[in-house]
Amino acid sequence: MFQVNPHYAKLPGSYLFAEIGRRVRAFQAANTDINVISLGIGDVSVPLTPAVIKALHEATDEMGTKSSFKGYGPEQGYDFLREAIVASDYKARGMDIGADEVFVSDGAKCDVGNFQELFADDVRIAVTDPVYPVYVDSNAMSGRTGSFVNDNWDKLIYLPCTAENNFVPDFPKETPDVIYLCYPNNPTGTVLNRDALKAWVDYARNNGAIILYDSAYKAFISGDDIPHSIYEIDGAREVAVEFRSYSKTAGFTGLRCAYTVVPKDIQVKGQKVDLNAMWNRRQCTKYNGCPYIVQKAAAAVHSAEGQAESAAIVKGYMDNATKVRQTLKNMGMEVYGGEHAPYVWIRTPKLGNGYTPSWDFFQHVLDNAHVVCTPGAGFGPSGETYARFTAFAAPANTDEALARLKASL
Ligand code: MLT
């Protein structure tokens, strides 16, 4: 008898940002005269930079000329981009990554969601809590997380990150096979210092686990004390896969380009696990590569002009983050993150007795300040009395949103 994948029926409601979009559209439909400002989903507001636009134009012209037209590209990405990534993101910072360990794609969200296909159905998954929902939902779709009972997946290993442990996850009681880490962290905006990240790499090596390390926000780190890549830690090449993106740093959320680094020496307890060959096989089978013109645009991000332009964009967003942090702090809120990340994480203030549940806080802020935030519960059970504000809105909108929050909270 025909059956759909039964695990989809266990997923709670809709995807977090789809649900937020639904609620905002409902509010907007009932209040057509109100200009709602989003500090919700981390979507960028600064347009593509001159170096990127120039590369797009040139590559577009190449596609219209017989001698330079390109059909299918390599599934792994063009060498010119893989080599630019290795040179500017790894070799320049003293890390040993080969171009054949870099897989270019159309998004870190897709890669991080797809990568779990390489693991057996019964591997135990650990995630920090709160967490970017893609890690959890993609494993839930494959049936690895068990049942969703009382807002918890019963087979998922949660690593709570709250103000109480300073947002540094403790090692779990049960030993996971796969550990998802994201630093700078989405949603809390907090970071792991070198010692804390080393402790996790050592833990993975000693316990036979693989780390899937999402460093999509590494460009927002200031200073060199915080690791930008997990491969800055000795031994990480044996246990870690790293995901990166052009979305937030170079304004590619609409253009789409990212990459995943899968080292060739991954091993579990001394046994080689050739995830590089497996990911290559998976990508060759299911993916035809990121468009040539987009890869040319991404390569331009690594040029001297491109790097300077991206740095200026990041600085603008971090100026917003500082304003959001300061304003919410001055309003008496408990504020975290936002120093090395474009996300500010707050403890929801007491609107009645005790901390406000995060969806109630979301609705209160939407109804009264006409500002969208992201409710912490959408990122996991430990987010229940927290909310996230992004620094990605235009500065004028950020100022206006903060003025409205001050007036209404
Ligand atoms: C977020 O707001 O958490 C991100 O924009 C989502 C994403 O990058 O997919």
Side-chain angles (χ1 to χ4, degrees):
M1 194 186 83
F2 171 79
Q3 278 191 316
V4 294
N5 177 344
H7 305 304
Y8 274 66
K10 301 178 200 162
L11 290 165
S14 45
Y15 180 64
L16 171 62
F17 292 106
E19 174 60 19
I20 290 173
R22 191 190 66 74
R23 292 188 187 215
V24 173
R25 280 192 301 279
F27 176 86
Q28 198 73 84
N31 301 277
T32 44
D33 53 330
I34 291 178
N35 162 32
V36 172
I37 299 176
S38 176
L39 303 185
I41 190 166
D43 197 3
V44 294
S45 54
V46 179
L48 298 170
T49 68
V52 170
I53 291 294
K54 181 166 173 283
L56 279 171
H57 283 160
E58 286 172 2
T60 306
D61 288 343
E62 281 183 69
M63 292 297 272
T65 307
K66 197 166 181 202
S67 58
S68 49
F69 168 72
K70 307 272 184 302
Y72 291 126
E75 294 88 345
Q76 305 80 1
Y78 283 96
D79 285 346
F80 65 78
L81 180 55
R82 298 172 95 193
E83 280 156 16
I85 289 166
V86 165
S88 76
D89 281 8
Y90 292 102
K91 291 242 152 80
R93 295 185 63 86
M95 284 170 278
D96 176 26
I97 295 294
D100 55 359
E101 295 176 315
V102 174
F103 293 83
V104 175
S105 76
D106 59 357
K109 178 180 181 179
C110 330
D111 284 358
V112 89
N114 291 330
F115 209 84
Q116 47 75 32
E117 286 179 25
L118 306 194
F119 305 126
D121 287 349
D122 59 353
V123 294
R124 293 299 307 275
I125 305 290
V127 293
T128 52
D129 170 31
V131 71
Y132 181 42
V134 175
Y135 317 149
V136 175
D137 287 7
S138 56
N139 278 288
M141 289 169 179
S142 301
R144 283 192 201 93
T145 53
S147 303
F148 194 64
V149 187
N150 298 331
D151 293 336
N152 274 262
W153 290 100
D154 61 4
K155 283 201 191 148
L156 191 62
I157 300 172
Y158 290 95
L159 310 171
C161 294
T162 59
E164 286 66 39
N165 64 2
N166 212 13
F167 301 94
V168 177
D170 294 323
F171 301 127
K173 288 194 192 75
E174 299 164 89
T175 307
D177 301 294
V178 177
I179 303 158
Y180 287 83
L181 296 178
C182 170
Y183 289 99
N185 187 255
N186 179 13
T188 64
T190 58
V191 285
L192 281 191
N193 67 24
R194 209 165 288 277
D195 288 346
L197 186 56
K198 179 178 181 323
W200 274 100
V201 169
D202 291 347
Y203 174 88
R205 295 178 78 192
N206 296 333
N207 290 279
I210 303 269
I211 296 176
L212 299 185
Y213 193 72
D214 185 344
S215 70
Y217 300 95
K218 58 102 187 166
F220 295 87
I221 296 171
S222 60
D224 276 332
D225 294 347
I226 310 291
H228 288 220
S229 162
I230 195 162
Y231 304 119
E232 290 178 29
I233 308 294
D234 281 347
R237 280 187 52 91
E238 289 171 16
V239 289
V241 171
E242 180 161 276
F243 301 88
R244 286 188 166 180
S245 166
Y246 295 90
S247 284
K248 310 296 156 78
T249 45
F252 274 50
T253 51
L255 200 56
R256 312 303 307 147
C257 195
Y259 61 89
T260 292
V261 177
V262 192
K264 292 190 165 175
D265 30 3
I266 299 263
Q267 48 177 276
V268 170
K269 298 207 164 153
Q271 294 287 311
K272 183 174 164 89
V273 182
D274 203 345
L275 292 180
N276 181 290
M278 288 176 74
W279 186 242
N280 188 47
R281 184 72 172 84
R282 190 258 175 221
Q283 292 296 82
C284 289
T285 305
K286 297 195 179 181
Y287 186 56
N288 266 332
C290 177
Y292 172 72
I293 58 173
V294 175
Q295 294 193 53
K296 277 295 203 185
V301 175
H302 295 281
S303 67
E305 310 89 281
Q307 290 192 39
E309 291 167 356
S310 298
I313 293 180
V314 166
K315 181 178 178 310
Y317 290 142
M318 289 312 292
D319 289 347
N320 283 345
T322 304
K323 279 193 281 194
V324 174
R325 269 180 65 80
Q326 280 312 329
T327 307
L328 296 176
K329 255 193 174 166
N330 294 344
M331 288 165 63
M333 298 205 191
E334 273 179 60
V335 177
Y336 306 97
E339 286 172 309
H340 299 281
Y343 296 123
V344 175
W345 187 243
I346 62 151
R347 183 90 81 159
T348 53
K350 295 172 188 175
L351 297 175
N353 295 325
Y355 293 115
T356 313
S358 63
W359 277 108
D360 293 356
F361 179 73
F362 164 88
Q363 202 59 50
H364 180 89
V365 169
L366 181 60
D367 291 343
N368 295 283
H370 316 314
V371 169
V372 181
C373 63
T374 308
F379 298 104
S382 295
E384 175 54 326
T385 55
Y386 292 87
R388 191 191 77 175
F389 289 89
T390 81
F392 286 118
N397 282 345
T398 305
D399 291 343
E400 169 66 18
L402 292 173
R404 291 186 196 172
L405 289 169
K406 263 202 282 195
S408 64
L409 280 176

